[in-house]
């Protein structure tokens, strides 16, 4: 296939950043960055891209040379085992003078080899590009989140007393795969009772009681892109007044955070909007994490809706809003939606 408009645009944007930073070459070793640029999935450490003014070279395993060569005829594809060493040799062969690599994503040994060979550490150009989703990415992420939402609707009436957390997780994961997902975007969290007070509880064999708290945090991978949502509810007819209270506070915090999302809004302001609701209700010490994070090819990406963040939301960012209240030994509530930043505010993606 010829180079698509999408991949051509991404390589062009990357080359512009290279020019602005006086680079005549860039080495890309991160497999998700490679997927972002080429729409072809390599597993980690299976390939190296060398981007230079006259073209793109891919050093990869021999088994990929033919299929990837056909997929990306605009690249020179070279097979072999010592791919970083081969890249360094190609840099010298091409006479490139200022070649960068992403030090944040590089292994120590590979980074050391490239530094000794005269390559230079650079900022994460592709990370910066990946923060802002284009229309093609937004379309895929709408579907990824729609599949997750449908899984929630599917499992809600099927959660029964006596089921284990693992059994509920399996039901959800099976549904998502049957509806187009290739895998989960992270390990599904299903938490019953006191387990729901642990924000990152590891799903296990705890059985659901007749009257019990339920928290599910889950998502799927669809065409390479992640979805993420959390729902909490009381299983049974005798919902404790305290549980209902913290659920309603958390829901207000979620809605308030989503309303704050918009172009030019500081990520810490989104966090602050949700956090203020919970603090005003007296549960500030029980909200123990940031309000959200970016989502895309990875489940946790820049920008982060957190107090430590200096990021400003831009059109095309996709972030979560996920406030929570966790009462140790009792139960917890977290409510999370994934939203896209648009000209009119936040578009909720976790819906039908």
């Amino acid at each position: 296939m010829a180079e698509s408009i999408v991949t051509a645009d991404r390589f062009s944007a990357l080359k512009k950043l290279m020019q602005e930073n006086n680079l005549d070459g860039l080495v890309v070793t991160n497999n998700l960055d490679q997927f972002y640029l080429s729409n072809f999935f390599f597993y980690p450490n299976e390939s190296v891209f060398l981007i230079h003014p006259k073209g793109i070279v891919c050093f990869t395993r021999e088994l990929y040379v033919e299929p990837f060569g056909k997929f990306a005829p605009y690249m020179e594809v070279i097979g072999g085992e010592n791919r970083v060493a081969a890249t360094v040799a190609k840099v010298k062969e091409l006479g490139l003078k200022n070649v960068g690599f992403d030090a944040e994503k590089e292994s120590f040994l590979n980074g050391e080899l490239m530094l000794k060979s005269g390559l230079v550490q650079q900022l994460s150009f592709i990370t910066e590009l990946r923060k802002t989703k284009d229309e093609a990415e937004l379309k895929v992420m709408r579907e990824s989140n729609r599949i997750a939402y449908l899984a929630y609707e599917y499992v809600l009436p099927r959660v029964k007393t006596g089921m284990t957390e693992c059994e509920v997780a399996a039901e959800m994961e099976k549904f998502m795969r049957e509806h187009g997902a290739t895998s989960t975007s992270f390990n599904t969290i299903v938490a019953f009772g006191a387990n729901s007070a642990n924000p990152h509880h590891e799903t296990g064999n705890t059985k659901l009681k007749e009257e019990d708290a339920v928290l599910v945090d889950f998502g799927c991978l669809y065409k390479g892109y992640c979805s993420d949502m959390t729902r909490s509810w009381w299983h049974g007819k005798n919902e404790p007044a305290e549980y209902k209270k913290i659920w309603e506070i958390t829901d207000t915090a979620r809605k308030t955070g989503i309303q704050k999302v918009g172009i030019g809004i500081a990520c810490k302001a989104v966090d602050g909007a949700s956090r203020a609701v919970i603090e005003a209700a007296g549960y500030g010490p029980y909200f123990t994490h940031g309000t959200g994070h970016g989502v895309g090819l990875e489940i946790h990406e820049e920008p982060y809706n957190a107090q430590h963040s200096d990021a400003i939301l831009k059109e095309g960012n996709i972030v979560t809003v996920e406030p929570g209240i966790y009462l140790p030994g009792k139960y917890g509530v977290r409510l999370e939606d994934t939203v896209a930043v648009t000209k009119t505010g936040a578009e909720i993606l976790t819906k039908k």
Side-chain angles (χ1 to χ4, degrees):
M1 60 179 287
E3 186 177 13
S4 72
I5 293 173
V6 170
T7 56
D9 287 347
R10 291 176 185 173
F11 277 116
S12 294
L14 182 57
K15 287 181 178 179
K16 183 179 179 182
L17 288 173
M18 290 167 58
Q19 290 171 356
E20 290 172 357
N21 287 271
N22 300 313
L23 296 177
D24 59 0
L26 185 69
V27 175
V28 180
T29 60
N30 180 272
N31 69 311
L32 293 181
D33 285 349
Q34 292 166 353
F35 178 83
Y36 174 78
L37 292 171
S38 69
N39 286 328
F40 187 94
F41 182 77
F42 292 100
Y43 287 99
N45 305 311
E46 287 192 320
S47 65
V48 179
F49 288 3
L50 171 61
I51 302 156
H52 59 92
K54 294 184 179 179
I56 308 161
V57 187
C58 172
F59 300 89
T60 187
R61 297 174 65 189
E62 291 288 351
L63 64 88
Y64 284 115
V65 171
E66 183 179 358
F68 186 62
K70 290 180 179 178
F71 183 87
Y74 56 91
M75 288 197 202
E76 178 185 359
V77 183
I78 300 172
E81 291 302 316
N82 298 315
R83 291 178 280 279
V84 173
T87 302
V88 169
K90 190 70 171 180
V91 167
K92 293 178 180 178
E93 177 191 323
L94 293 169
L96 303 177
K97 301 301 182 184
N98 194 27
V99 178
F101 68 93
D102 189 340
E104 287 188 8
K105 299 177 184 178
E106 198 49 78
S107 71
F108 177 82
L109 291 177
N110 285 343
E112 192 175 50
L113 172 60
M114 286 189 274
L115 285 173
K116 287 180 178 178
S117 302
L119 280 67
V120 294
Q121 301 179 51
Q122 285 295 326
L123 299 173
S124 299
F125 297 143
I126 304 174
T127 295
E128 190 63 31
L129 293 175
R130 281 173 48 186
K131 289 179 187 178
T132 305
K133 276 61 178 179
D134 57 32
E135 281 302 317
E137 291 175 291
L138 184 54
K139 182 178 179 181
V140 171
M141 291 198 67
R142 283 193 184 104
E143 182 61 16
S144 182
N145 282 280
R146 189 183 77 88
I147 293 169
Y149 188 87
L150 292 176
Y152 162 68
E153 283 198 329
Y154 168 81
V155 82
L156 187 59
R158 290 171 172 80
V159 174
K160 306 295 183 185
T161 302
M163 290 180 75
T164 67
E165 294 169 343
C166 284
E167 286 171 339
V168 173
E171 287 280 340
M172 299 178 77
E173 292 170 9
K174 180 174 182 288
F175 179 94
M176 290 188 290
R177 281 184 175 272
E178 288 175 342
H179 287 76
T182 52
S183 67
T184 59
S185 47
F186 57 96
N187 291 337
T188 301
I189 298 173
V190 177
F192 297 155
N195 293 341
S196 62
N198 177 1
H200 274 184
H201 168 67
E202 292 186 10
T203 303
N205 291 315
T206 299
K207 291 186 177 182
L208 184 63
K209 299 175 183 176
E210 284 189 22
E211 298 289 335
D212 221 352
V214 179
L215 184 152
V216 293
D217 185 352
F218 62 100
C220 68
L221 197 66
Y222 173 76
K223 294 187 177 180
Y225 284 82
C226 299
S227 54
D228 192 5
M229 67 177 288
T230 306
R231 292 293 184 265
S232 303
W233 68 91
W234 187 262
H235 173 77
K237 297 180 180 179
N238 300 308
E239 180 180 11
E242 184 182 43
Y243 182 88
K244 183 177 182 180
K245 179 182 179 182
I246 65 171
W247 192 99
E248 290 176 347
I249 294 166
T250 303
D251 191 43
T252 300
R254 176 187 63 85
K255 291 174 180 175
T256 303
I258 291 172
Q259 288 172 353
K260 190 68 176 178
V261 168
I263 298 170
I265 301 297
C267 286
K268 64 175 61 176
V270 177
D271 179 274
S274 286
R275 195 169 300 278
V277 172
I278 293 173
E279 289 178 346
Y283 289 93
Y286 303 102
F287 181 15
T288 54
H289 54 76
T291 297
H293 54 85
V295 186
L297 294 175
E298 295 176 274
I299 192 60
H300 292 138
E301 296 187 346
E302 295 283 351
Y304 284 80
N305 289 327
Q307 286 300 296
H308 61 74
S309 175
D310 294 323
I312 304 296
L313 292 174
K314 299 177 182 178
E315 183 178 2
N317 288 156
I318 294 182
V319 295
T320 66
V321 177
E322 50 179 300
I325 297 174
Y326 311 95
L327 305 182
K330 290 185 175 181
Y331 32 65
V333 171
R334 180 164 66 254
L335 298 170
E336 173 189 23
D337 282 312
T338 297
V339 304
V341 182
T342 72
K343 287 184 174 67
T344 56
E347 175 193 346
I348 297 175
L349 303 184
T350 37
K351 62 182 182 180
K352 287 186 180 179

